[in-house]
């Protein structure tokens, strides 16, 4: 490993102190980054020419055999915790078996250092654009009554558009949550077809649930005002042509409980149809569950040992993932389809007990591991060796470049755009693949909070709850004190005891990485869209 280390260089180490002032000192440090920047506007990545060559050959051989580009299916669960699936330590141990996700992990690649953003909209947009939310302006969930000052999609290119332009049929089923105004809908930004609900479950059901929200539902004036905000309760079917129809409406919590079954039946139907056509397909299937508020599907009660609504949701999502994969197999496409299963952020503990499980510190809304470390399962029969596991760093925004490589699609990155995504196709597809990502950078809003490099995590700012479980509803975002909080995640996965002044050899090099990252914002600045 030492041979891979770069030579000693002089670096200007900048420490951002708690009052926001920047102090700098010239220090002689050894940079331990193996990453190389190949263009000014692309994220540095670790070159792995041999595994890249081998995977390029593997992809070419498959295309020769099938005569077609591979299909790509992203499956995104909402707010599922790292510790919920059985293959991540949950499952039957915590009252909701997940045999389908467990099988995909067992027969594919299980990532243990897969990172999301801290909440829904930022993760979903980062996956589609390959860009850190501060650069797209999509820095937090768009909620009822939010008015944006500009369309965040202006100047952005989604992976769906790139694939659609490259001959793929692109479909998004389920939750969107990146705006519902014309110009911001999935079928406006690159998807050929959209079938789903724009907002999260709670945005829909809070006006339908008098037990949880009597002050809204039973007060006619407030309810009328809420309904005027126009939050979409509709199942929307849209096409790239602009044609958009309302299929049905959620009128009860029972309807909400049934929504994921309706959506996955649609995805299954489309897989059958599209498999018979000439075009390869890209499907992003986004579950409504298990974002609070969860309501069990009344047609399938008691799926989980626990019977609690959240666990019922996990069990149902797992069942439906099994059906989607089965549909791909039944259509004869299993060996020509890359499948990736993940969650868009850590569990939302504020809704407990309607909440998931993470073994880590923090939860949704924080940049501690509990908020951002999520399940990541890559499955591709014949292309990903069964039983692989890796703790290589993978940021969900890497799906942008990775998907492009798998699809053999081309995208000329405009000079004014910085792509934060790293191509990880060779990591995922090589039998002994190693991650191409050296560092992952974790932001909240327009603030860089923390950096992960190798097994180290370096915090400059932290979100601290002021009451048990209330990581969103009663927390504070604060600067750390004189020194960054540095944890070794191998010996302290719960981020409880900084190694700082006792074993701080890594502090300087991670600080240098943070500085280099922040420097990219000088030329490629943050975007403000009014969120
Ligand atoms: Ca979410």
């Amino acid at each position: 490993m030492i041979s891979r280390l770069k030579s000693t260089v002089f670096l200007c180490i900048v420490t951002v102190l708690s009052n926001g002032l920047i102090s700098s000192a010239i220090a002689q440090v050894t940079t331990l980054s193996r990453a190389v920047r190949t263009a000014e506007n692309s994220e540095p990545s670790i070159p792995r020419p041999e595994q890249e060559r081998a995977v390029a050959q593997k992809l070419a051989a498959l295309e020769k055999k099938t005569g077609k580009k591979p299909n790509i299916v992203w499956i995104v669960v909402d707010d599922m915790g790292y510790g919920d699936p059985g293959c991540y330590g949950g499952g039957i141990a915590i009252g909701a078996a997940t045999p389908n996700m467990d099988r995909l992990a067992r027969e594919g690649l299980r990532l243990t250092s897969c990172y999301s953003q801290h909440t829904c909209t930022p993760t979903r947009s980062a996956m589609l654009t390959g860009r850190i939310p501060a650069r797209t302006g999509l820095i937090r969930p768009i909620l009822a009554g939010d008015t944006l000052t500009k369309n965040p999609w202006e100047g952005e290119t989604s992976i769906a558009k790139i694939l659609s332009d490259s001959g793929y049929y692109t479909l998004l089923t389920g939750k969107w949550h990146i705006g519902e105004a014309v110009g911001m809908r999935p079928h406006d930004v690159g998807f050929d077809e959209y079938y789903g609900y724009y907002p999260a479950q709670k945005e829909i059901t809070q006006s339908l649930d008098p037990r949880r929200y009597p002050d809204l539902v039973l007060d006619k004036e407030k309810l009328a005002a809420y309904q005027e905000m126009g939050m979409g309760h509709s199942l929307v079917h849209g096409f790239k042509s602009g044609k958009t129809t309302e299929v049905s409406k959620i009128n009860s919590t029972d309807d909400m409980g049934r929504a994921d079954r309706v959506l996955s039946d649609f995805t299954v139907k489309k897989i059958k149809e599209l498999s018979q056509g000439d075009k390869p397909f890209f499907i992003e299937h986004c579950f409504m569950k298990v974002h609070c508020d969860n309501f069990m599907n009344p047609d399938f009660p008691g799926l989980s040992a626990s019977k609690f609504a959240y666990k019922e949701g996990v069990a149902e999502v797992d069942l439906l993932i099994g059906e989607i994969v089965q549909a791909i197999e039944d259509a004869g496409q299993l060996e020509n389809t890359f499948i990736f299963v993940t969650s868009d952020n850590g569990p939302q503990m504020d809704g407990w007990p309607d909440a998931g499980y993470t073994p880590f510190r923090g939860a949704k809304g924080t940049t501690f591991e509990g908020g951002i470390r999520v399940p990541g399962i890559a499955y591709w029969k014949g292309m990903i060796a069964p039983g692989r596991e890796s703790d290589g760093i993978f940021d969900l925004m890497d799906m942008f470049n990775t998907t492009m490589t798998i699809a053999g699609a081309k995208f000329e990155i405009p000079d004014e755009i910085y792509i934060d995504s790293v191509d990880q196709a060779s990591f995922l597809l090589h039998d002994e693949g190693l991650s191409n990502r050296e560092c992952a950078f974790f932001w909240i809003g327009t603030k860089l909070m923390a950096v992960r490099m190798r097994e180290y995590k370096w915090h400059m700012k932290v979100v601290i709850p002021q009451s048990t479980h209330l990581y969103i509803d009663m927390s504070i975002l604060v600067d750390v004190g004189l020194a960054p909080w540095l944890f070794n995640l191998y010996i302290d996965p719960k981020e409880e005891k900084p190694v700082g002044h006792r074993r701080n050899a890594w502090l300087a090099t991670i600080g240098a990485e943070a500085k280099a990252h922040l420097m990219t914002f000088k030329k490629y600045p943050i975007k403000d869209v009014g969120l």
Side-chain angles (χ1 to χ4, degrees):
M1 192 162 74
I2 297 296
S3 63
R4 287 189 178 152
L5 303 181
K6 287 190 184 165
S7 57
T8 300
V9 296
F10 285 91
L11 284 174
C12 177
I13 306 303
V14 172
T15 308
V16 179
L17 299 173
S18 56
N19 61 3
L21 295 175
I22 294 176
S23 74
S24 60
I26 301 293
Q28 188 178 18
V29 298
T30 300
T31 177
L32 293 156
S33 173
R34 298 157 293 181
V36 173
R37 192 188 292 282
T38 54
E40 196 184 15
N41 60 344
S42 66
E43 185 66 9
S45 65
I46 305 171
R48 303 205 184 273
E50 280 170 34
Q51 78 179 32
E52 278 156 26
R53 217 169 12 249
V55 164
Q57 284 169 1
K58 206 170 169 181
L59 284 166
L62 183 72
E63 190 178 346
K64 202 173 168 196
K65 189 172 139 196
T66 62
K68 212 173 171 182
K69 295 283 182 194
N71 307 305
I72 292 152
V73 176
W74 296 1
I75 296 176
V76 183
V77 188
D78 202 356
D79 287 13
M80 180 171 72
Y82 180 93
D84 282 325
C87 49
Y88 286 89
I92 59 166
I94 54 170
T98 56
N100 292 293
M101 283 188 266
D102 300 351
R103 182 177 73 83
L104 294 177
R106 208 167 47 240
E107 297 178 6
L109 166 61
R110 186 176 72 98
L111 299 174
T112 64
S113 291
C114 177
Y115 288 99
S116 67
Q117 304 292 314
H118 65 297
T119 48
C120 317
T121 304
T123 299
R124 288 159 194 269
S125 56
M127 288 174 76
L128 287 167
T129 62
R131 279 155 55 76
I132 280 177
R135 292 195 218 266
T136 61
L138 291 158
I139 54 174
R140 68 159 174 83
I142 300 171
L143 301 172
D146 267 335
T147 310
L148 302 183
T149 52
K150 67 185 281 194
N151 182 346
W153 286 98
E154 273 171 31
E156 303 294 338
T157 306
S158 77
I159 186 68
K161 180 173 189 310
I162 295 166
L163 264 54
S164 182
D165 290 349
S166 305
Y168 273 72
Y169 191 83
T170 58
L171 164 71
L172 189 138
T173 308
K175 179 184 163 178
W176 173 238
H177 214 169
I178 316 181
E180 54 192 73
V182 174
M184 298 178 60
R185 305 168 303 183
H187 47 300
D188 297 326
V189 301
F191 285 97
D192 293 306
E193 186 174 359
Y194 170 59
Y195 189 85
Y197 299 91
Y198 295 128
Q201 292 201 114
K202 185 189 197 136
E203 298 286 315
I204 298 173
T205 57
Q206 60 192 359
S207 63
L208 301 169
D209 184 3
R211 290 187 65 181
R212 214 172 300 211
Y213 309 101
D215 52 330
L216 171 64
V217 180
L218 304 179
D219 184 316
K220 282 184 182 164
E221 188 203 341
K222 283 188 208 157
L223 187 62
Y226 181 80
Q227 283 165 343
E228 255 184 46
M229 289 179 190
M231 284 312 291
H233 286 203
S234 301
L235 175 57
V236 174
H237 196 183
F239 291 89
K240 197 188 224 169
S241 61
K243 187 180 164 222
T244 307
T245 52
E246 182 189 305
V247 178
S248 59
K249 228 176 169 113
I250 299 284
N251 291 313
S252 67
T253 53
D254 274 356
D255 287 350
M256 192 79 257
R258 292 185 177 100
D260 273 310
R261 158 59 64 190
V262 172
L263 294 168
S264 69
D265 282 353
F266 182 81
T267 290
V268 164
K269 187 181 88 167
K270 291 301 293 191
I271 288 168
K272 270 187 210 161
E273 277 175 30
L274 293 169
S275 297
Q276 287 161 9
D278 297 332
K279 287 187 166 190
F281 55 80
F282 167 56
I283 298 176
E284 182 178 3
H285 184 95
C286 298
F287 283 97
M288 302 301 291
K289 291 183 169 88
V290 280
H291 189 296
C292 67
D293 300 328
N294 282 289
F295 298 93
M296 75 167 67
N297 184 338
D299 301 329
F300 299 90
L303 281 176
S304 68
S306 156
K307 316 300 180 211
F308 271 75
Y310 179 88
K311 304 288 182 175
E312 290 288 291
V314 170
E316 189 190 10
V317 159
D318 184 76
L319 177 83
L320 299 176
I321 288 173
E323 291 185 11
I324 290 169
V325 175
Q326 188 64 46
I328 296 168
E329 183 165 12
D330 291 347
Q333 296 294 315
L334 205 54
E335 293 180 1
N336 200 33
T337 304
F338 169 75
I339 301 170
F340 193 86
V341 181
T342 192
S343 172
D344 68 341
N345 47 252
Q348 182 175 312
M349 292 308 290
D350 295 68
W352 191 90
D354 189 1
Y357 173 67
T358 179
F360 302 114
R361 179 176 181 172
K364 177 180 178 181
T366 80
T367 42
F368 286 112
E369 296 288 293
I372 51 176
R373 207 195 287 202
V374 291
I377 303 167
Y379 174 86
W380 191 349
K381 192 178 177 188
M383 288 291 279
I384 294 177
R388 279 186 63 205
E389 292 178 301
S390 175
D391 77 329
I393 298 175
F394 188 89
D395 192 308
L396 284 179
M397 71 178 72
D398 296 342
M399 292 303 287
F400 180 84
N401 284 22
T402 302
T403 297
M404 214 168 2
T405 296
I406 290 172
K410 296 271 182 292
F411 172 52
E412 289 288 325
I413 303 167
D415 288 343
E416 64 274 18
I417 292 281
Y418 187 93
I419 296 292
D420 297 279
S421 168
V422 165
D423 180 6
Q424 300 263 39
S426 71
F427 169 37
L428 300 187
L429 302 185
H430 192 278
D431 289 357
E432 282 108 35
L434 297 172
S435 173
N436 299 90
R437 179 174 278 281
E438 185 69 285
C439 294
F441 301 96
F442 307 118
W443 289 68
I444 289 183
T446 56
K447 294 176 171 61
L448 176 63
M449 304 285 292
V451 180
R452 164 94 192 253
M453 183 180 187
R454 304 190 188 213
E455 69 266 41
Y456 303 94
K457 179 96 169 279
W458 180 98
H459 295 262
M460 195 159 66
K461 296 170 188 288
V462 286
V463 169
I464 305 290
Q466 300 298 289
S467 183
T468 307
H469 290 349
L470 297 184
Y471 293 94
I472 298 173
D473 290 335
M474 196 160 74
S475 62
I476 51 172
L477 191 162
V478 290
D479 294 308
V480 299
L482 284 177
W485 295 6
L486 178 70
F487 300 100
N488 180 325
L489 296 175
Y490 282 169
I491 61 168
D492 181 17
K494 285 185 186 291
E495 298 171 280
E496 290 173 320
K497 187 87 176 163
V499 290
H501 277 70
R502 286 178 306 286
R503 300 167 189 230
N504 66 354
W506 296 82
L507 206 55
T509 188
I510 301 178
E513 296 297 324
K515 185 203 165 199
H517 175 67
L518 287 170
M519 290 294 278
T520 66
F521 282 80
K522 277 197 162 177
K523 184 157 181 197
Y524 307 98
I526 59 171
K527 198 199 288 181
D528 183 1
V529 300
L531 280 176

